[in-house]
């Protein structure tokens, strides 16, 4: 079904792998549209409880394929962002399920933005994050201007953006850009700890909490208190709430269905 990505589903876990390893998973038109399609599929599929985003080979994603874009020098940057990149960022951040970035190598430019859009980043120690836009005279895009200052503060975000600083995985963990940094050979197992948890967690509640945390970035305390009450009514009507409370009273582990 897909030519430039791999999309696999098993035991509640969907894995979307960028699959252009010969060009470090650089983003041409075709792969961005395939990513959009796979994200829609992951959202629709009730069996999918958690999504992993990663890259094939030595890199996570090197950003825009500059060789491909050079063939169309008159293209509109704005159109490209609105049609290709922004829908991906929105799909990741609005996915009502956790999205984990398995950072297996360099994430540069829009690839860095893709990683930062995820709910968690688990990085191998050889991975690097680079806001490389400035090196070719461009500005941050694909959401990096939103994510960076919220994660590291305005001053550090300015430095990373305007100097195109290469950030190692261990440095990124200290800054709060990365949730966990592990030895490369431990990356698969480290991600599996998260996917095992989320694949059997109360997905509806987690999806609501994701919306709440995103909304809180631009809301007052008063607004969030009201939104919490609204979301709690929704969570309280789910199967998983009933199962969770029953399991607690029966002193057993809850068998959540994500419903």
């Amino acid at each position: 079904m897909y030519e430039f990505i791999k999309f696999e589903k098993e035991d509640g876990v969907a894995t979307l792998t960028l699959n252009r390893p010969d060009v470090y998973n650089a983003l041409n038109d075709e792969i961005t549209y395939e990513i959009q399609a796979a994200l829609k599929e992951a959202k629709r599929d009730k069996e999918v409880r958690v999504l992993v985003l990663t890259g094939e080979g030595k890199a996570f994603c090197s950003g825009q394929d500059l060789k491909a874009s050079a063939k169309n020098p008159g293209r509109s940057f704005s159109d490209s962002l609105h049609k290709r990149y922004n829908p991906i960022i929105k799909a990741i951040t609005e996915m009502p399920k956790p999205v984990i970035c398995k950072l297996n190598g360099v994430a540069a430019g829009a690839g860095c933005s893709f990683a930062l859009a995820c709910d968690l980043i688990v990085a191998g120690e050889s991975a690097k994050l680079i806001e490389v836009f400035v090196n070719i005279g461009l500005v941050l895009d694909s959401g990096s201007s939103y994510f960076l200052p919220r994660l590291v503060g305005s001053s550090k975000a300015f430095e990373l953006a305007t100097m195109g600083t290469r950030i190692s995985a261990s440095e990124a963990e200290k800054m709060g850009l990365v949730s966990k940094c592990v030895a490369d050979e431990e990356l698969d197992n480290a991600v599996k700890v998260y996917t095992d948890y989320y694949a059997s967690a109360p997905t509806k509640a987690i999806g609501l909490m994701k919306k709440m945390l995103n909304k809180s970035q631009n809301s007052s305390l008063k607004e969030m208190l009201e939104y919490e009450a609204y979301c709690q009514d929704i969570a309280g009507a789910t199967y998983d709430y009933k199962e969770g409370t029953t399991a607690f009273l029966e002193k057993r582990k809850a068998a959540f269905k994500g419903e």
Side-chain angles (χ1 to χ4, degrees):
M1 181 178 177
Y2 298 111
E3 182 179 357
F4 298 106
I5 67 170
K6 292 190 288 187
F7 188 64
E8 301 160 313
K9 294 181 278 188
E10 184 177 3
D11 297 329
V13 182
T15 302
L16 196 170
T17 306
L18 311 183
N19 192 28
R20 300 185 73 211
D22 53 320
V23 290
Y24 301 107
N25 300 315
L27 302 163
N28 59 11
D29 286 8
E30 292 80 6
I31 193 173
T32 54
Y33 291 127
E34 288 190 4
I35 294 168
Q36 289 181 38
L39 290 171
K40 289 177 183 176
E41 184 177 343
K43 180 179 180 180
R44 286 194 304 264
D45 192 337
K46 293 181 180 180
E47 298 299 316
V48 172
R49 309 275 288 278
V50 55
L51 173 68
V52 176
L53 180 62
T54 191
E56 186 69 25
K58 296 180 179 180
F60 172 72
C61 177
S62 59
Q64 170 62 32
D65 187 334
L66 296 180
K67 288 185 179 179
S69 58
K71 296 175 182 178
N72 184 17
R75 77 191 190 286
S76 164
F77 288 94
S78 178
D79 283 352
S80 183
L81 288 169
H82 284 126
K83 293 177 181 177
R84 297 175 54 216
Y85 290 99
N86 293 356
I88 292 172
I89 300 303
K90 290 177 182 177
I92 292 172
T93 57
E94 294 172 8
M95 179 80 63
K97 307 167 186 183
V99 181
I100 299 171
C101 174
K102 177 182 170 184
L103 194 61
N104 58 304
V106 171
C112 183
S113 299
F114 285 8
L116 297 181
C118 295
D119 301 308
L120 292 171
I121 303 177
V122 184
E125 61 186 352
S126 66
K128 293 177 176 60
L129 294 160
I130 315 167
E131 293 288 11
V132 75
F133 301 98
V134 71
N135 292 343
I136 55 171
L138 291 179
V139 301
L140 300 174
D141 68 27
S142 305
S144 272
S145 66
Y146 179 87
F147 301 121
L148 262 188
R150 284 166 171 78
L151 291 167
V152 301
S154 297
S155 179
K156 195 64 179 179
F158 180 83
E159 176 192 337
L160 298 179
T162 60
M163 297 185 71
T165 309
R166 184 182 294 259
I167 314 159
S168 70
S170 60
E171 290 172 328
E173 183 180 33
K174 292 173 185 176
M175 289 180 193
L177 285 171
V178 163
S179 303
K180 194 174 187 66
C181 173
V182 299
D184 290 342
E185 61 271 19
E186 297 174 8
L187 183 57
D188 288 344
N189 287 334
V191 171
K192 191 174 186 299
V193 170
Y194 285 103
T195 57
D196 283 351
Y197 169 78
Y198 286 116
S200 58
T203 312
K204 294 285 188 183
I206 290 169
L208 286 167
M209 284 192 276
K210 179 173 176 175
K211 289 179 69 174
M212 292 164 66
L213 293 172
N214 286 337
K215 182 178 175 62
S216 73
Q217 299 280 2
N218 300 294
S219 299
S220 67
L221 173 59
K222 181 180 179 181
E223 288 168 333
M224 288 312 301
L225 289 172
E226 288 300 317
Y227 194 60
E228 285 174 354
Y230 168 76
C231 290
Q232 200 68 290
D233 272 343
I234 297 172
T238 62
Y239 168 90
D240 284 343
Y241 166 69
K242 296 179 180 65
E243 165 61 13
T245 52
T246 301
F248 176 82
L249 294 171
E250 295 178 355
K251 298 182 180 180
R252 60 174 175 81
K253 184 177 179 180
F256 296 120
K257 294 184 179 180
E259 300 174 353

